[in-house]
C-alpha cells in the first residue's frame, strides 16, 4: 500500500498520510472480516467549518494500530470517513464523532447541525444495533449544542450518567476511575498544578449514555475529556504518552470499541 493513499467517502476525497504509523496485511481469505474505525463527517452550525476533522487522521490511525497490537481483534489498518446518509454506514457497528459541541463562547467552528435526513438515518442505524461515540467537547455551552442536536435524534430518550460498574468501563481493562484526558498543550501547561481540564466549567469528566429499550448502550458521550488527543499525540511527549495515552485514553477507547462489538 502506498504511503499516501486516496480514500473516497461521502463524495469527498481524502489523502491519508500514515505519518509513520505501522501498516499490516489483512487476512487474504477474510479481507473484510475486520473492525474498521469510522469517523463521521457532519455539518457545521451556521455554515462554519465543522470540527469533525479534529485530530484526524493520526487519532484514527493510532487507535486502529493499538487495537491490532494490544487485542485479538482483527483490524483494518485504514480508517474511513462517512456521512450519516451514506448507505455504507450500516456495514459498520461503531462510529466516532469529534467535537460535537463546536467551539463555545466566541470561539471558532461549529458543532453538530443534523439535517432531517441525517437524523432519520442515524436513528435507524442506532436502533438497528449501531453504536456511536461522541468525544472532545468541553463546558456547558458545548454540552447545550450537543444536547439540542441529540434530542432531535431521540426526543423520547435522555442521556444518563454511566456508572463505573458498567461493562463499558471493564470490557477489557478494569478502570478504577472515569478518566479525564486533556489535549497535550493543556496537559503540559497544567502539569505542575494537576490541571487536566480545558476550562473552568469543565473540571469534572462526564460519561453519559443513551440506552435502547433492552438496556443496550447505543450512544457513549465523553464530555469534558479528549480521548482522541490521547490517541493522536501519543508520540510527541513521553510523559503525556505514559500519563494519558497509555493509562487513560487507550484503555477506555479499547473498552468502548469492545463493548460496541459485543453488544
Amino acid at each position: 500500500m502506498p504511503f499516501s493513499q486516496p480514500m473516497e467517502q461521502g463524495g469527498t476525497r481524502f489523502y491519508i498520510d500514515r505519518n509513520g504509523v505501522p501498516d499490516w496485511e489483512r487476512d487474504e481469505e477474510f479481507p473484510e472480516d475486520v473492525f474498521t474505525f469510522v469517523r463521521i463527517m457532519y455539518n457545521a452550525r451556521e455554515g462554519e467549518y465543522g470540527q469533525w476533522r479534529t485530530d484526524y487522521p493520526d487519532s484514527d490511525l493510532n487507535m486502529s494500530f493499538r487495537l491490532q497490537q494490544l487485542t485479538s481483534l482483527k483490524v483494518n489498518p485504514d480508517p474511513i470517513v462517512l456521512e450519516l446518509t451514506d448507505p455504507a454506514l450500516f456495514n459498520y457497528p461503531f462510529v466516532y464523532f469529534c467535537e460535537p459541541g463546536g467551539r463555545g463562547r466566541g470561539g471558532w467552528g461549529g458543532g453538530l447541525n443534523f439535517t432531517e435526513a441525517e437524523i432519520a438515518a442515524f436513528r435507524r442505524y442506532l436502533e438497528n444495533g449501531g453504536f456511536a461515540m461522541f468525544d472532545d467537547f468541553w463546558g456547558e455551552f458545548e454540552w447545550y449544542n450537543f444536547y439540542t442536536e441529540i434530542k432531535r435524534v431521540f426526543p423520547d430518550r435522555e442521556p444518563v450518567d454511566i456508572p463505573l460498574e458498567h461493562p463499558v468501563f471493564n470490557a477489557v481493562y478494569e478502570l478504577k476511575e472515569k478518566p479525564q484526558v486533556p489535549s497535550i498543550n493543556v496537559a503540559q501547561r497544567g502539569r505542575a498544578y494537576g490541571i487536566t481540564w480545558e476550562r473552568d466549567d469543565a473540571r469534572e469528566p462526564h460519561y453519559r449514555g443513551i440506552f435502547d429499550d433492552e438496556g443496550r448502550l447505543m450512544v457513549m458521550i465523553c464530555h469534558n475529556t479528549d480521548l482522541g488527543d490521547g490517541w493522536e499525540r501519543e508520540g510527541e511527549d513521553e510523559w503525556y504518552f505514559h500519563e494519558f495515552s497509555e493509562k487513560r485514553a487507550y484503555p477506555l477507547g479499547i473498552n468502548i470499541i469492545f463493548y460496541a462489538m459485543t453488544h
Side-chain angles (χ1 to χ4, degrees), residues 1-262:
M1 187 182 65
F3 187 66
S4 295
Q5 62 171 351
M7 292 172 53
E8 189 162 352
Q9 299 293 342
T12 303
R13 196 165 183 83
F14 301 96
Y15 286 85
I16 304 302
D17 185 340
R18 296 195 69 84
N19 197 25
V21 178
D23 195 6
W24 60 92
E25 296 294 331
R26 287 189 270 180
D27 189 323
E28 292 183 1
E29 293 187 24
F30 305 100
E32 303 304 320
D33 190 17
V34 290
F35 169 82
T36 298
F37 191 100
V38 178
R39 177 180 290 250
I40 296 298
M41 177 171 55
Y42 57 80
N43 294 310
R45 184 169 294 283
E46 298 176 355
E48 296 183 56
Y49 176 75
Q51 297 306 303
W52 67 266
R53 283 181 178 266
T54 301
D55 302 334
Y56 175 81
D58 288 1
S59 169
D60 310 28
L61 288 165
N62 286 337
M63 185 72 239
S64 299
F65 171 66
R66 293 302 183 184
L67 274 171
Q68 175 77 9
Q69 178 193 49
L70 298 173
T71 76
S72 60
L73 195 64
K74 301 302 181 184
V75 183
N76 185 351
D78 305 318
I80 67 171
V81 176
L82 289 178
E83 294 180 296
L84 288 173
T85 52
D86 191 320
L89 177 71
F90 290 83
N91 296 330
Y92 304 100
F94 169 93
V95 296
Y96 175 82
F97 291 77
C98 192
E99 289 205 14
R103 300 279 189 171
R105 293 199 175 92
W108 50 272
L112 291 177
N113 185 27
F114 289 133
T115 66
E116 292 301 322
E118 288 173 329
I119 288 171
F122 192 31
R123 184 188 301 121
R124 188 159 59 92
Y125 168 77
L126 294 170
E127 290 178 341
N128 280 275
F131 183 98
M133 173 183 174
F134 291 87
D135 181 41
D136 188 12
F137 64 120
W138 300 77
E140 295 307 307
F141 186 95
E142 293 185 18
W143 170 259
Y144 175 77
N145 183 70
F146 166 79
Y147 180 80
T148 300
E149 291 300 303
I150 203 67
K151 288 294 285 185
R152 294 176 62 208
V153 180
F154 286 119
D156 57 339
R157 298 185 189 274
E158 193 70 18
V160 297
D161 286 323
I162 305 173
L164 191 59
E165 298 75 28
H166 189 275
V168 78
F169 293 113
N170 301 277
V172 178
Y173 298 95
E174 186 175 350
L175 301 187
K176 303 299 184 183
E177 63 177 4
K178 297 179 181 181
Q180 185 170 66
V181 178
S183 68
I184 192 169
N185 295 328
V186 170
Q188 290 170 336
R189 289 196 302 268
R191 180 177 181 179
Y193 312 101
I195 293 175
T196 57
W197 52 89
E198 297 197 0
R199 57 192 64 174
D200 284 340
D201 64 347
R203 295 187 175 215
E204 182 181 357
H206 296 288
Y207 292 94
R208 301 182 176 105
I210 297 177
F211 294 80
D212 69 11
D213 292 339
E214 305 301 320
R216 178 183 68 90
L217 180 62
M218 299 185 290
V219 178
M220 178 81 175
I221 307 160
C222 307
H223 180 224
N224 295 343
T225 192
D226 185 357
L227 300 182
D229 218 50
W231 308 336
E232 180 202 12
R233 312 294 285 273
E234 65 152 76
E236 297 184 28
D237 181 282
E238 185 175 358
W239 168 77
Y240 183 79
F241 171 75
H242 290 303
E243 186 64 28
F244 294 103
S245 303
E246 185 177 45
K247 293 181 181 178
R248 308 180 192 191
Y250 280 122
L252 182 51
I254 289 171
N255 278 354
I256 292 170
I257 289 171
F258 265 76
Y259 178 90
M261 295 294 288
T262 57

